[in-house]
Amino acid sequence: MSNQKSLYLGLLVGGLIGGVTTLLTAPTSGRELREQIKVNREKLEDTLVQLKSESISLKDQMIRTAKDSADVIKEVSLDLQKSIKQWQHEIEPHKENLQNELDEIEEKIKQLEQTIKK
């Protein structure tokens, strides 16, 4: 534990010394440095406000898109169901004819089998 404390204390003291040294050897005065920090802080705040606004706009757009997609899917589903019912209705008479023809073919096959057995 004491080695870790010493390491952290050394890092803290070194960081403070490095920060103070940087400030003292900086080519700008303290006033200029504070002004630059203020300008950079304002730019950062503006960027964060813009980012927040754009993220809210993106979220709203995604919600609208999801709702629109759900509506389109529901509409397509209803159209598809309607088309399937119409198709089933249209093939119903043909279905009966095909079934009748299949029944006739089966009857003829049975007759042939009986004829062959005789």
Side-chain angles (χ1 to χ4, degrees):
M1 279 289 200
S2 63
N3 287 339
Q4 286 182 345
K5 287 182 183 180
S6 297
L7 175 65
Y8 292 135
L9 182 61
L11 288 174
L12 179 65
V13 171
L16 288 173
I17 292 173
V20 170
T21 303
T22 302
L23 288 175
L24 293 176
T25 59
T28 59
S29 68
R31 185 178 309 178
E32 291 172 349
L33 182 61
R34 285 191 300 274
E35 186 62 33
Q36 287 177 352
I37 290 172
K38 181 181 175 184
V39 168
N40 287 339
R41 180 182 55 88
E42 289 171 354
K43 286 181 182 178
L44 179 62
E45 287 175 354
D46 290 343
T47 303
L48 290 174
V49 167
Q50 183 180 2
L51 183 61
K52 180 181 177 183
S53 172
E54 289 175 359
S55 66
I56 289 171
S57 175
L58 179 62
K59 181 186 88 169
D60 292 342
Q61 184 178 3
M62 289 177 67
I63 290 171
R64 280 191 307 258
T65 302
K67 287 179 182 178
D68 291 346
S69 296
D71 291 343
V72 168
I73 289 172
K74 186 176 180 179
E75 186 177 319
V76 168
S77 175
L78 291 173
D79 287 346
L80 186 58
Q81 288 176 355
K82 183 179 175 182
S83 295
I84 289 172
K85 286 180 182 179
Q86 183 179 0
W87 177 76
Q88 287 174 338
H89 180 70
E90 288 175 358
I91 66 164
E92 190 64 35
H94 301 293
K95 184 177 165 184
E96 290 175 12
N97 289 339
L98 286 173
Q99 186 63 44
N100 289 337
E101 288 182 19
L102 285 174
D103 290 342
E104 288 177 12
I105 291 173
E106 284 182 21
E107 185 63 34
K108 289 182 182 181
I109 289 174
K110 286 180 184 177
Q111 289 175 0
L112 282 173
E113 286 177 348
Q114 288 178 0
T115 304
I116 294 175
K117 287 182 180 179
K118 289 182 183 182

